[in-house]
Amino acid sequence: MHELSIALAVVEGAGEAARRHGADAVESVRLRVGELSGVVADALRFSFEVAAAGTSLAGAGLRIEEVAARARCRACAEEFAPGAPPLLWCPECGESGTELVAGRELEIVGVTLPEGRPCPGSGAAGGATGGEGVMCRIVDLRQAVPAKNDGLAAALREELAGRGVTAVNLLSSPGSGKTALLELLLARAVERGLPVAALTADLATENDARRLARSGAPVRQVLTGGLCHLEADGLRGHLEGWLPDGTRLLFVENVGNLVCPAAYDLGETLRVVLMSVTEGEDKPAKYPMAFGLANLVVLSKTDLAGAAGFDGDAFAEHVERVNPGVEVLRTSARTGEGVGELLERITAVGAGRRPHRPPLAGPHLRGYRHGHDHGHGREQAHDHGHDHGHGHRHEPAPGVLRLEPDTGLPVR
Ligand SMILES: Nc1nc2c(ncn2[C@@H]2O[C@H](COP(=O)(O)OP(=O)(O)OP(=O)(O)O)[C@@H](O)[C@H]2O)c(=O)[nH]1
Ligand SMILES: [Mg+2]
Ligand SMILES: [Zn+2]
Ligand SMILES: [Zn+2]
């Protein structure tokens, strides 16, 4: 993961809390880091020192509390440790309907200030002096760290839903065949009169956009200039002034990478992860977040399965381990296998069908806490249960892309 950007966000969040309490220094910051958050504690400690230099957090201690991953079976309520790579089947009853209830947190629990500070708003008269003199030394925050991207992604999801756009985030390692498959998907969508557009991100070259533009659909190439993934805010900027009104279906080809793109919600309606038959059946186990958070899995280049000696059963087992119940579609850009089915799955979601909900998406990340502190001057963290609506990635966006049941064409 990107520990430096996380460290910068921690410094910003903690520094802001200190300022609200009139403190110009911070003694220590407490973080909760889930076992499956992908954060390396040592790298974060090092990055934190770098990020804190020259700020009110310079020299502040960083206390990292690891949160073990826990999953719960929805059938028998058994709670279990999924292990690594996560195995998300219920060990008690064998059910696949499980959900992660802890383990992906990344939050600032609170900050410790050098001396007692009056708690804002705690005084009877609400005076600046803190009224009755309730003192804050430990400030509760319970604030998600990469909240910035999550919040922006939620806003973009809402905006796109409002415009009637179904957005598909395509993830895979470099060369798995995202562009080749997209070429066919776009051509087919155009053929069916479906208003479709595609945005493709690469570190360099406009090759992919050139290939996709042959379909006749509006295409935009984004050059990330070295960045290994897309972020919601960047995507929103690229869509602004480009995404044609009336677009019903938007494909976003992420940067070829199975690590970082998995950690960034783009406000998509559907996340599709691709893997080709030449990459090794155990990729889902090696990249559990990429496969575990997908709404749909695509196995590409099936025309090469024989030559590659691809073991379909082993692959299915690895997928099921990290994402029980997810559908795997087999495709080939050579033979056209699976392209129609894939487009059908996507348009069905646009028409209101509920996408598969990956267990790893876990309810504990929904309704994440907001960014203000509560200044109670005590150490107990608490959840106020506010829902900020960050959690509707898997809810169908109502009214998006209605299709005529008999022709399969969009209703105009
Ligand atoms: N045999 C076969 N080759 C394929 C298939 N799909 C893609 N390829 C080839 O695989 C190579 C990579 O395909 P791309 O579509 O460029 O892969 P990509 O995932 O878009 O790659 P990046 O954008 O660089 O991450 C190209 O040489 C394609 O012709 C397929 O279904 N069968
Ligand atoms: Mg490509
Ligand atoms: Zn069970
Ligand atoms: Zn990266």
Side-chain angles (χ1 to χ4, degrees):
M1 270 286 286
H2 294 229
E3 277 77 8
L4 184 59
S5 69
I6 295 169
L8 287 166
V10 169
V11 166
E12 194 186 315
E16 226 168 72
R19 249 189 324 277
R20 280 196 300 271
H21 287 260
D24 46 21
V26 171
E27 211 163 75
S28 66
V29 181
R30 274 177 61 212
L31 290 184
R32 267 158 58 89
V33 172
E35 187 187 339
L36 294 172
S37 65
V39 173
V40 181
D42 279 341
L44 186 55
R45 276 192 199 94
F46 173 76
S47 302
F48 178 74
E49 253 177 60
V50 175
T55 74
S56 62
L57 276 92
L62 183 67
R63 284 198 284 150
I64 298 179
E65 192 183 301
E66 253 208 31
V67 184
R70 308 272 320 152
R72 188 194 297 124
C73 174
R74 284 194 259 168
C76 75
E78 170 80 1
E79 282 217 6
F80 59 98
L87 171 60
L88 287 147
W89 288 81
C90 175
E92 187 61 29
C93 72
E95 254 298 315
S96 65
T98 65
E99 58 189 1
L100 197 75
V101 290
R104 287 186 51 221
E105 304 79 353
L106 179 52
E107 64 180 21
I108 308 175
V109 179
V111 295
T112 306
L113 306 177
E115 61 199 66
R117 298 276 165 182
C119 276
S122 65
T129 58
E132 294 167 55
V134 178
M135 303 298 265
C136 291
R137 185 167 135 76
I138 293 162
V139 179
D140 287 349
L141 278 173
R142 292 300 300 266
Q143 177 181 329
V145 176
K148 220 178 206 168
N149 184 71
D150 290 349
L152 294 165
L156 183 57
R157 189 176 352 268
E158 233 152 76
E159 187 191 323
L160 288 172
R163 293 177 66 176
V165 179
T166 299
V168 181
N169 183 2
L170 273 177
L171 251 68
S172 85
S173 52
S176 305
K178 296 181 293 298
T179 307
L181 189 59
L182 256 183
E183 287 182 72
L184 298 186
L185 287 167
L186 291 182
R188 214 168 270 222
V190 168
E191 216 176 84
R192 284 173 50 176
L194 196 64
V196 66
L199 181 145
T200 179
D202 286 288
L203 302 189
T205 87
E206 307 227 334
N207 296 348
D208 284 5
R210 255 195 302 275
R211 287 164 62 189
L212 296 175
R214 291 197 294 248
S215 65
V219 171
R220 173 153 206 181
Q221 177 77 54
V222 168
L223 297 180
T224 61
L227 197 64
C228 49
H229 60 270
L230 280 173
E231 294 186 16
D233 194 38
L235 177 62
R236 196 191 45 75
H238 296 306
L239 296 179
E240 219 172 82
W242 166 72
L243 188 70
D245 278 336
T247 301
R248 294 286 158 199
L249 186 52
L250 168 69
F251 286 104
V252 177
E253 179 184 341
N254 219 311
V255 180
N257 173 354
L258 280 178
V259 186
C260 313
Y264 290 86
D265 183 0
L266 296 183
E268 69 266 18
T269 322
L270 200 69
R271 186 182 288 200
V272 179
V273 67
L274 260 86
M275 187 197 95
S276 68
V277 296
T278 60
E279 292 172 51
E281 296 82 358
D282 58 353
K283 280 290 170 296
K286 289 181 177 171
Y287 299 93
M289 283 309 167
F291 287 86
L293 291 173
N295 305 112
L296 188 64
V297 176
V298 166
L299 178 67
S300 61
K301 308 192 190 180
T302 52
D303 57 291
L304 300 176
F310 184 75
D311 182 344
D313 291 341
F315 174 67
E317 249 172 62
H318 287 298
V319 170
E320 278 287 296
R321 176 185 180 106
V322 297
N323 198 346
V326 72
E327 185 181 14
V328 178
L329 273 178
R330 300 168 58 93
T331 67
S332 165
R334 289 282 176 276
T335 67
E337 182 191 0
V339 177
E341 283 90 337
L342 179 54
L343 188 59
E344 188 189 287
R345 297 297 185 280
I346 293 166
T347 51
V349 168
R353 184 175 170 193
R354 207 184 162 82
H356 163 72
R357 197 172 164 299
L360 270 181
H364 69 303
L365 298 172
R366 267 176 283 150
Y368 230 119
R369 298 120 193 133
H370 43 185
H372 73 249
D373 62 80
H374 304 288
H376 296 278
R378 57 185 167 83
E379 193 135 358
Q380 291 96 318
H382 49 250
D383 187 342
H384 290 236
H386 302 252
D387 191 324
H388 288 231
H390 295 185
H392 34 230
R393 169 185 311 162
H394 306 287
E395 306 296 332
V400 180
L401 193 71
R402 299 255 164 252
L403 297 181
E404 236 36 287
D406 33 345
T407 62
L409 288 170
V411 177
R412 286 175 204 274

